DNA sequence: GTGAAAGCGCTAACAT
DNA sequence: ATGTTAGCGCTTTCAC
């Protein structure tokens, strides 16, 4: 069984010939550009339909747009990111733009590879979700192609940002737990080495927010932070460490839902139960947190809304590359569920 | 604050001039093509490094390869798909190829949009995961660009396939439950309308495997199938229906883990518990099934291995487009966890 | 309003 | 072994 040969692609020349006009005319119709009469447009449209013509993005790239938006997600497993993606595609759905994603990239090296690949493929704009690259690198990217950074603080003239107020979000969780009567509230954070990123990354902000809120509530001495990573594995390790403490915390604020998943796993392994032995809260309000057997208290930062904003800002910047940069900050909301209760007496 | 202007891109001409050679020479070095002396190669390599040159994929697309592989995933939320993706990227990591994903697409229309977009962008090969498009459409795609179909049965001369033996997988689950003493074992399937797809889609195979296994075990009269969809919602609805039966099943085989999630949700809502009142098993062995509070019995179809195979086959087909098509079938394995126990006495 | 023609950055015949 | 050159499919001056 041999596969059939590839059919030749219909080009703009075929359309022009079929419609008895020039390729210029076809190009103008395609782009709704100025300088084509209604009759001309109709003629060309008909030829396009009859031949089933679609412009080759690669060829367009050499002269103009590719009508492609690249979205870089750090971790495809984190159920929060699809929310952002939905927002982006939702906003771009009615436009000619097509969204393409990079594969999940862990770390700076992979991130560079993916962003370079997107630039090399002539993408018209980039949405970078929680990038870990240096500021210089981000500004370089933004100087080459319109860019919106989602989920990372730090204003730059080169790119727009969309974030949620992570400090406030962390305070919501700590306030909720303290309100239930907890005092020994621990936090599992994503370990950060780079000082610049410390100031800009959401994980660092959440940790700061946690510390600040603990202090404000007079619980400064109970501050207990374990540094692992924002993955299920990281949550598992962090929880193991916390459960081994001589005096166990009564509540854990995991920096992300995916971290909380790992915590739940470790707690079950230790023969303990949530929330009877330990209250657990996450961040992101992913679809899994709502699941019956999980029912995780979490913070909703409305990823959909973030994605929508990112897409909107990107389209604006593609239209006018020199407009001043914009920073959008959304307010998080607490969603209390069954994984948090007053501490055991 | 105004963003800086875009720097001009380094081209092959710049490299050629800087290295004092022809652009042909540079092109040859880039592609490791025949006809360049070691000294020439060294000179060109140095110029490339000094100038930080990277070939523009869009320009390459017009003449040859883009070194881009497109992966289409039907639903970015289903935690099974990242496994496949890991396998693909793992296999392609050492090559020059870059993987780009389409946004999750539900339904035939979106699927067409994404595959067309990938073709228009000159991708060198496509991996289609559990596509729902018609057979004709798939063969058309494959005639235009090397294609591997993952998670859908049905051999075609035009494309390679990678699947797992869904019939055997379903039999593993039924055998496991029957071995525990269950007789009233129900199944929640994904509703299929199209007759061609009925034969090719994994969901249909699993339902067939369930029926066959029930018959083989002398449980033909207990066969009980509810048709919804492979989503959390579908599982929720299916479970509600089953729980309302005058004689409730003692075990439910959900066609996918994501379906089982919905079942767990519905069971909890009904004030029942798993596995005391009802045993539940899924399919896919996603990371969530291993989670402590869930601990779902499932079938591992090794998505990673599927992805690896898909990437390998794709590279082979890119090298030789007219080689006969290959079908790879992997064997599923049962992973028993705490969600399945003997039925209540 | 319309079309001829010059490229965009790269590859591949085809010389030399 | 190396360079010259003609395109790939499209957009965009710039004539008419």
């Amino acid at each position: 069984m041999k596969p059939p040969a590839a059919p030749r692609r219909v080009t703009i020349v075929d359309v022009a010939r079929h419609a008895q006009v020039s390729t210029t005319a076809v190009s103008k119709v395609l782009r709704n550009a100025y300088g084509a009469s209604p009759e001309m447009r109709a003629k060309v449209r008909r030829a396009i339909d009859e031949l089933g013509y679609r412009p080759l993005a690669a060829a367009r790239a050499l002269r103009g747009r590719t009508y492609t938006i690249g979205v870089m997600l750090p971790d495809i497993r984190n159920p929060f990111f699809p929310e952002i993606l939905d927002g982006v595609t939702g906003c771009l759905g009615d436009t000619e733009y097509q969204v393409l994603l990079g594969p999940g990239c862990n770390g700076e090296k992979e991130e560079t590879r993916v962003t370079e690949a997107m630039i090399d493929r002539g993408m018209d704009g980039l949405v970078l979700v929680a990038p870990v690259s240096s500021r210089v690198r981000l500004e370089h990217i933004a100087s080459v192609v319109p860019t919106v950074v989602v989920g990372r603080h730090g204003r730059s003239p080169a790119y727009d940002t969309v974030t949620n107020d992570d400090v406030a979000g962390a305070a919501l969780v700590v306030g909720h737990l303290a309100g239930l009567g907890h005092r020994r509230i621990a936090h599992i954070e994503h370990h950060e080495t780079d000082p610049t990123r410390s100031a800009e990354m959401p994980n660092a902000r959440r940790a700061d927010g946690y510390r600040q809120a603990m202090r404000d509530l007079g619980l400064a001495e109970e501050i207990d932070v374990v540094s692992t990573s924002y993955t299920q594995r990281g949550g598992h390790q962090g929880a193991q460490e916390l459960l081994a403490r001589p005096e166990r915390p009564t509540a854990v604020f995991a920096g992300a839902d995916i971290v909380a998943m790992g915590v739940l796993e470790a707690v079950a392994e230790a023969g303990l139960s949530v929330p009877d032995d330990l209250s657990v809260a996450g961040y992101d309000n992913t679809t899994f947190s709502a699941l019956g057997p999980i029912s995780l208290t979490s913070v909703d930062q409305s990823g959909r809304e973030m994605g929508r904003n990112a897409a909107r800002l990107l389209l604006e910047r593609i239209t006018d590359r020199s407009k001043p940069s914009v920073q959008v900050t959304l307010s998080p909301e607490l969603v209390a569920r069954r994984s948090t209760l007053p501490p055991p007496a």
Side-chain angles (χ1 to χ4, degrees), chain A residues 24-327:
Chain A
T24 312
V26 179
S27 176
K28 279 178 175 165
V29 173
L30 281 174
R31 294 171 293 118
N32 289 311
Y34 172 82
S37 63
E39 310 88 70
M40 167 117 286
R41 302 192 109 81
K43 231 186 345 184
V44 172
R45 286 258 151 68
R46 209 158 56 84
I48 288 177
D49 287 344
E50 286 177 13
L51 269 50
Y53 167 77
R54 294 197 317 266
L56 188 67
R60 285 181 133 175
L62 245 44
R63 297 308 255 115
R65 326 231 66 82
T66 53
Y67 298 95
T68 312
I69 300 292
V71 177
M72 194 214 68
L73 260 19
D75 174 16
I76 213 170
R77 282 191 163 70
N78 189 326
F80 174 57
F81 298 127
E83 303 285 326
I84 297 178
L85 190 62
D86 275 355
V88 173
T89 52
C91 182
L92 258 31
D94 335 299
T95 71
E96 288 207 80
Y97 287 92
Q98 173 65 43
V99 173
L100 251 28
L101 308 181
C105 31
N106 318 301
E108 206 163 343
K109 218 180 129 210
E110 284 218 53
E111 207 171 283
T112 302
R113 172 172 171 164
V114 171
T115 48
E116 284 188 346
M118 289 180 166
I119 291 170
D120 296 347
R121 278 151 188 82
M123 304 217 165
D124 295 340
L126 260 39
V127 175
L128 308 180
V129 178
V132 298
S133 295
S134 71
R135 226 239 156 76
V136 171
R137 167 87 191 127
L138 294 182
E139 298 199 324
H140 170 73
I141 293 170
S143 79
V144 177
V145 52
T147 302
V148 175
V149 172
V150 175
R152 171 161 164 170
H153 304 262
R155 80 162 50 202
S156 162
Y159 50 80
D160 305 307
T161 56
V162 179
T163 53
N164 95 114
D165 189 337
D166 293 291
V167 172
L172 286 175
V173 174
V174 175
H176 166 72
L177 292 168
L180 289 171
H182 290 274
R183 292 184 55 85
R184 290 203 304 285
I185 304 167
H187 176 54
I188 301 178
E189 70 164 353
H190 180 97
H191 182 62
E192 197 61 71
T193 47
D194 184 290
T196 312
R197 288 202 288 271
S198 267
E200 298 193 349
M201 299 301 281
N203 42 297
R205 295 282 183 115
R206 288 174 200 171
D208 283 352
Y210 159 80
R211 287 195 187 84
Q212 188 60 51
M214 289 293 276
R215 271 185 242 111
D216 292 349
L217 291 164
L219 299 173
E221 300 188 0
E222 307 288 352
I223 289 175
D224 185 1
V225 178
V226 176
S227 283
T228 60
S229 70
Y230 274 13
T231 58
Q232 192 168 324
R233 214 179 126 73
H236 188 264
Q237 290 175 347
Q240 283 186 327
E241 195 173 320
L242 288 171
L243 294 176
R245 293 257 196 281
E247 236 193 343
R248 269 208 317 258
T250 61
V252 174
F253 165 34
D257 282 359
I258 189 100
V259 176
M261 299 289 154
V263 174
L264 296 180
E265 201 179 1
V267 171
E269 283 171 15
L272 299 172
S273 85
V274 171
D276 301 326
D277 301 305
L278 187 77
S279 281
V280 177
Y283 205 112
D284 289 343
N285 192 32
T286 57
T287 49
F288 289 97
S289 55
L291 260 179
I294 290 179
S295 189
L296 182 73
T297 294
S298 191
V299 176
D300 191 340
Q301 54 171 321
S302 188
R304 234 200 195 70
E305 199 55 38
M306 293 177 83
R308 243 195 302 272
N309 274 281
R312 184 178 51 79
L313 290 174
L314 193 55
L315 290 180
E316 287 173 18
R317 181 156 299 282
I318 287 173
T319 306
D320 175 11
R321 291 201 48 161
S322 64
K323 67 156 194 167
S325 72
V326 177
Q327 289 75 38

